[in-house]
Amino acid sequence: HRVVCDKMVGETEGTGIVHIAPGCGAEDFEVHKAQGIGIVDPVDEAGRYLDGFGQLTGMSVTDVAPIVYESLREKGYLVKKEKLEHRYPVCWRCGDELIFRLVDEWFIRSDALRKRLIEAARTVNWIPDYMGRRMEDWLNNMQDWCISRRRFWGLPLPFYYCSDCGHITMVGSKSELAKLAGLSIERLPELHRPWIDAVPIKCEKCGGEAVRTKDVGDCWMDAGIVPFSTLKYKEDREFWQKWFPAEFICEMREQIRLWFYSMLFMSVTLEGRSPYENVLIYEKVFDEHGEPMHRARRNVIWFDEAVDKMGADIMRWLFASQNTAYNISFGYGPGKEIKRKLLTFWNAYSFFMTYASLDQPDVVLTDAPADGLAELDRWVLSRLHTVIHGATEAYERYNAMSVVKQVEAFFDDLSNWYIRRNRRRFWRATSDTDKQAAYQTLYTVLTEVTKLIAPIVPFLAEEIYQNLVVSVHPDAPRSVHLADFPKANMELVDASLEADAAVAKRIVSLGLSARNKAGIKVRQPLGKMLVRLESDDERGGLERFMADILDELNVKTIKVVDSLQDVAEPVVRFNLKLVGPRLGAKLVEARRVLESERSRVYDSAIKGGLVSLTVDGEKLSFEPSELVLGLEGREGYSVAATGALAVALDTTLDEELMVEGMVRELVRHVQVMRKDAGFNVEDRIDLYVACDDQVRSRIEQRIGFL
Ligand SMILES: [Zn+2]
Ligand SMILES: [Zn+2]
């Protein structure tokens, strides 16, 4: 016996000495390669001993243990016989015990291609770009590619051994095979096993009979050849040239060392270049709670089931909306959220269809603005072209998430501002330029957005396009997917108008949340709202859209103030995560100082300034982000704020406001009753109200309004 040293065996475990069998283990084989021990390869493919192993010959490896220790005992070498528990490889399908065995395999030497693969990978636009570095790492470290597999089914490797001279003939095509085999291979049902193995060929060197190796190929060879096999590379080179290379492919990260790699490998070998130009790589798809999907966890959602329950377009929007650099979350919960967002757009479309089917307005396919545009029309067209511009750029960078975010923001603008503020223009009974402008504007917006989102939601977009466009314009392209992609017209973009409207929307949303906090419905008019602006830039937006804001919030007046401290109490706390460690034992005293100086602290922090406090004689300063700022309305005020923009609603109701609120409430009830009774707008009704004298006098004051 020889004893050799190797780092794979340590002195901390067992005796520090192990026996090795280079014919039956990968590590053992490596030691053999380094030390030249010699290989004994005693068993065949079925695990039976070959000739020359005495009484073991013909026996299975699983049956010989008793013979081996009996032989050791006879020779006086057996020290002890006992059972040890250890990990052992088994067949994944039937559980039978397996052994390692040295076999010959086919490899492609990677060093021959490594440099060219790396160069080709560098020409690719990897998204996110660090995936390109992952691919380069893989290429730098890749081993020789073992392309053979001992399976029955698979790509038959075209290597033929000559029994006479030992030469290996490699067959390169069907016609070569036919020529060397001397028969028409069309007679074979398939070029797979078992049929292919029944066809011997003539050795290209000596003319003797050559037989195919039993091995089949690694499945990644088939996958890697996709850019050629599916594009008629062998049959129709012109066709192939039209489609190769692929502009865009998309798969998960694991494919760097599998599919992306094998395609690159084949393409560099055959054509000396990458088979793809842009590769979008995503992380894993998990369930909506961030857990991997497993049958055992019962959280798997099958594709077909999801399509049935959720809808294919919702799934596409859901996937498109996510950052592919992180795990993607998928489930019915997020699906519902997406449905709600898409319904916003669907409802805008359905609003248009409802009124257009009554009025039959004369709408044309144009991206030019109509005559007599109102400011809101100009605004929504400006937003439209801003979004077309931004979304087109994002599409070109393959950033679907950015497309989705921009379009979702536009859905909200369209539905919760444009249509909401414009409804009355569509309600009017008469037709005039203003109404026509509103119809044409909304029509343009809907058709352009439909085309813009068609790549992500092809079914929804087609449905809308067919109704909106094809049914009224027979000459238009007959599918949204054949229509030209929208073009941004930057002349229609008015950045300051958009900024002003954004301010108005923010103020309205703060006002509504202040109403909500106070539990006062929008129907109840309020006298006054105070607004503290973030900066003077916002004054323009407030003034420009004053009428809209007053109407949306149902308040009589809005007043801009520098400070809300007369009507609201500032609330200031430390952001403990940020300052806790720094303050340490001084925290209690610091809190006391902060509380006693909260007005001054609030005023300076809200303007973004550093805040200084003297704690235990030491002067400390804080960034505004290290503080949590809030406002609490004093008696009679309800306050809402985001950052420095804040509103305070005066919630006191005088007699006048109360009467108005009550009458509006009454009107709403009557309208519901009219609707339930099936009355039309022009039907006149008699109204009876049962009430006490006080209410009666209030109603009588407003009888004209009623
Ligand atoms: Zn098995
Ligand atoms: Zn030969």
Side-chain angles (χ1 to χ4, degrees):
H1 291 291
R2 245 178 90 193
V3 177
V4 297
C5 292
D6 196 280
K7 286 199 176 112
M8 280 187 256
V9 180
E11 66 277 23
T12 53
E13 212 181 327
T15 58
I17 193 164
V18 296
H19 93 279
I20 59 171
C24 300
E27 292 83 4
D28 311 42
F29 184 75
E30 288 304 316
V31 174
H32 151 75
K33 278 212 294 196
Q35 311 262 5
I37 295 160
I39 295 168
V40 182
D41 185 9
V43 295
D44 67 10
E45 267 186 28
R48 293 190 177 276
Y49 278 85
L50 301 167
D51 282 345
F53 289 89
Q55 63 178 131
L56 301 184
T57 294
M59 290 185 73
S60 165
V61 288
T62 53
D63 298 333
V64 301
I67 297 173
V68 172
Y69 60 67
E70 190 51 39
S71 152
L72 289 170
R73 198 184 56 79
E74 271 171 21
K75 291 174 184 159
Y77 294 148
L78 189 68
V79 180
K80 194 160 81 170
K81 186 182 148 194
E82 63 178 350
K83 283 206 168 179
L84 289 175
E85 218 169 272
H86 67 133
R87 275 154 41 98
Y88 197 85
V90 292
C91 170
W92 65 273
R93 184 170 275 175
C94 67
D96 274 3
E97 291 181 354
L98 302 174
I99 60 161
F100 291 101
R101 181 172 160 266
L102 185 67
V103 290
D104 285 328
E105 296 285 356
W106 291 89
F107 288 84
I108 297 179
R109 205 184 357 259
S110 53
D111 274 338
L113 272 168
R114 195 185 308 273
K115 222 181 117 223
R116 289 163 63 202
L117 287 172
I118 290 171
E119 276 162 15
R122 283 181 184 164
T123 67
V124 175
N125 175 28
W126 301 93
I127 310 161
D129 56 5
Y130 58 80
M131 293 296 185
R133 292 194 292 280
R134 292 243 166 99
M135 176 55 105
E136 195 158 322
D137 277 352
W138 164 253
L139 294 173
N140 274 318
N141 295 307
M142 66 175 176
Q143 310 277 311
D144 291 340
W145 183 3
C146 175
I147 57 164
S148 50
R149 293 289 182 274
R150 272 142 214 285
R151 294 188 182 152
F152 186 82
W153 187 253
L155 174 84
L157 289 177
F159 308 137
Y160 288 76
Y161 295 96
C162 174
S163 46
D164 294 345
C165 76
H167 178 73
I168 297 170
T169 302
M170 201 182 112
V171 178
S173 68
K174 272 196 215 172
S175 55
E176 231 179 285
L177 177 63
K179 212 177 104 205
L180 289 168
L183 61 87
S184 156
I185 53 160
E186 307 305 332
R187 281 184 10 226
L188 297 180
E190 280 181 43
L191 287 178
H192 279 112
R193 297 178 78 185
W195 306 284
I196 189 79
D197 288 350
V199 182
I201 64 165
K202 265 202 210 105
C203 169
E204 64 183 354
K205 204 169 173 196
C206 76
E209 188 177 274
V211 178
R212 200 187 72 83
T213 170
K214 291 281 175 284
D215 293 352
V216 296
D218 175 12
C219 65
W220 294 105
M221 294 186 81
D222 303 50
I225 211 75
V226 158
F228 302 93
S229 59
T230 61
L231 296 176
K232 308 185 182 184
Y233 182 66
K234 284 274 188 182
E235 303 91 326
D236 185 350
R237 200 54 71 95
E238 224 171 276
F239 176 85
W240 171 80
Q241 224 131 31
K242 234 189 277 172
W243 292 95
F244 182 93
E247 276 175 28
F248 176 74
I249 59 169
C250 170
E251 249 286 1
M252 74 184 305
R253 195 179 66 188
E254 273 64 15
Q255 303 292 11
I256 285 176
R257 53 185 186 83
L258 299 169
W259 191 49
F260 298 143
Y261 163 68
S262 58
M263 284 199 292
L264 186 71
F265 197 104
M266 295 293 183
S267 184
V268 167
T269 306
L270 289 170
E271 287 294 322
R273 61 151 303 156
S274 161
Y276 37 69
E277 291 171 348
N278 300 281
V279 183
L280 175 68
I281 299 179
Y282 54 85
E283 295 290 331
K284 295 194 170 72
V285 176
F286 281 175
D287 77 5
E288 61 191 88
H289 308 292
E291 300 285 338
M293 292 195 198
H294 285 306
R295 269 175 213 263
R297 278 181 213 262
R298 298 176 170 278
N299 64 348
V300 175
I301 300 175
W302 299 107
F303 176 83
D304 288 350
E305 181 200 306
V307 169
D308 283 348
K309 282 198 191 163
M310 191 188 288
D313 275 356
I314 292 195
M315 287 168 71
R316 291 169 68 109
W317 196 270
L318 174 56
F319 286 127
S321 70
Q322 302 194 43
N323 185 343
T324 49
Y326 300 103
N327 288 328
I328 287 173
S329 89
F330 180 75
Y332 292 112
K336 242 180 229 161
E337 187 55 21
I338 297 296
K339 188 174 179 181
R340 195 184 59 75
K341 287 173 177 166
L342 290 176
L343 267 178
T344 310
F345 183 60
W346 180 267
N347 289 339
Y349 152 74
S350 142
F351 172 87
F352 176 87
M353 292 305 278
T354 306
Y355 288 94
S357 63
L358 293 171
D359 286 342
Q360 300 287 327
D362 193 15
V363 286
V364 289
L365 282 174
T366 174
D367 48 14
D371 291 333
L373 289 187
E375 188 163 59
L376 274 170
D377 297 333
R378 287 203 302 109
W379 170 74
V380 81
L381 290 174
S382 172
R383 286 284 300 125
L384 171 70
H385 286 278
T386 298
V387 170
I388 291 175
H389 178 73
T392 304
E393 260 190 8
Y395 271 128
E396 276 163 5
R397 286 181 283 114
Y398 300 96
N399 187 345
M401 179 178 76
S402 169
V403 174
V404 164
K405 297 296 162 214
Q406 294 180 61
V407 172
E408 281 177 356
F410 184 74
F411 287 169
D412 183 64
D413 281 345
L414 178 63
S415 162
N416 293 326
W417 196 252
Y418 182 73
I419 291 181
R420 208 184 136 72
R421 295 303 312 150
N422 264 312
R423 280 174 300 187
R424 291 187 187 89
R425 291 166 79 193
F426 295 92
W427 289 343
R428 240 175 300 161
T430 55
S431 184
D432 56 16
T433 319
D434 180 62
K435 191 175 186 180
Q436 175 61 26
Y439 266 122
Q440 182 60 52
T441 303
L442 184 53
Y443 185 73
T444 300
V445 167
L446 291 170
T447 50
E448 294 298 286
V449 171
T450 300
K451 289 187 257 176
L452 191 65
I453 61 177
I456 301 181
V457 279
F459 301 110
L460 179 77
E462 185 71 326
E463 165 82 17
I464 294 177
Y465 180 85
Q466 289 301 325
N467 271 328
L468 213 52
V469 177
V470 177
S471 66
V472 276
H473 301 293
D475 298 339
R478 61 195 166 85
S479 161
V480 69
H481 305 296
L482 297 173
D484 282 345
F485 199 70
K487 278 190 194 68
N489 179 354
M490 299 314 277
E491 278 173 23
L492 297 181
V493 171
D494 179 341
S496 78
L497 176 57
E498 286 190 37
D500 284 351
V503 169
K505 282 186 69 190
R506 282 178 69 201
I507 292 173
V508 166
S509 120
L510 285 177
L512 291 175
S513 101
R515 269 188 175 275
N516 210 12
K517 265 190 214 167
I520 302 172
K521 287 178 186 153
V522 180
R523 276 195 295 285
Q524 172 60 58
L526 291 173
K528 182 176 67 177
M529 185 170 85
L530 304 177
V531 177
R532 186 192 65 204
L533 297 172
E534 219 159 45
S535 71
D536 235 27
D537 300 343
E538 290 160 328
R539 195 176 287 269
L542 176 64
E543 278 160 12
R544 190 174 202 163
F545 289 100
M546 184 61 92
D548 295 289
I549 298 169
L550 291 173
D551 189 45
E552 281 292 304
L553 293 175
N554 197 13
V555 293
K556 303 291 177 196
T557 57
I558 286 178
K559 200 178 149 205
V560 177
V561 292
D562 288 334
S563 162
L564 288 173
Q565 294 216 9
D566 291 343
V567 298
E569 191 70 33
V571 181
V572 184
R573 291 197 318 272
F574 287 117
N575 184 338
L576 282 184
K577 241 191 256 165
L578 297 179
V579 301
R582 176 150 70 97
L583 288 173
K586 289 196 280 276
L587 180 62
V588 175
E589 175 61 8
R591 274 182 169 153
R592 197 194 57 75
V593 176
L594 184 71
E595 180 60 20
S596 67
E597 300 187 33
R598 64 180 190 277
S599 291
R600 176 183 69 81
V601 170
Y602 181 90
D603 275 351
S604 109
I606 208 76
K607 290 185 186 107
L610 272 183
V611 170
S612 57
L613 294 175
T614 307
V615 180
D616 286 341
E618 191 186 345
K619 203 175 151 197
L620 300 173
S621 66
F622 299 90
E623 297 280 346
S625 62
E626 292 175 314
L627 302 167
V628 181
L629 307 172
L631 275 178
E632 218 156 85
R634 293 183 209 273
E635 182 66 32
Y637 282 90
S638 180
V639 177
T642 61
L645 183 65
V647 304
L649 270 178
D650 182 348
T651 56
T652 39
L653 298 176
D654 59 16
E655 175 70 16
E656 183 78 358
L657 292 170
M658 255 175 352
V659 171
E660 205 182 321
M662 200 197 69
V663 172
R664 283 211 189 200
E665 191 69 41
L666 180 63
V667 166
R668 193 187 71 90
H669 279 294
V670 173
Q671 269 161 352
V672 170
M673 288 165 73
R674 285 182 64 115
K675 202 176 157 217
D676 291 347
F679 285 120
N680 288 323
V681 184
E682 60 273 18
D683 295 330
R684 299 189 70 84
I685 55 161
D686 291 325
L687 180 64
Y688 297 88
V689 181
C691 56
D692 62 26
D693 285 349
Q694 203 189 355
V695 172
R696 180 197 175 108
S697 75
R698 284 173 179 173
I699 292 174
E700 278 169 353
Q701 288 170 29
R702 295 290 176 130
I703 206 83
F705 176 78
L706 269 177

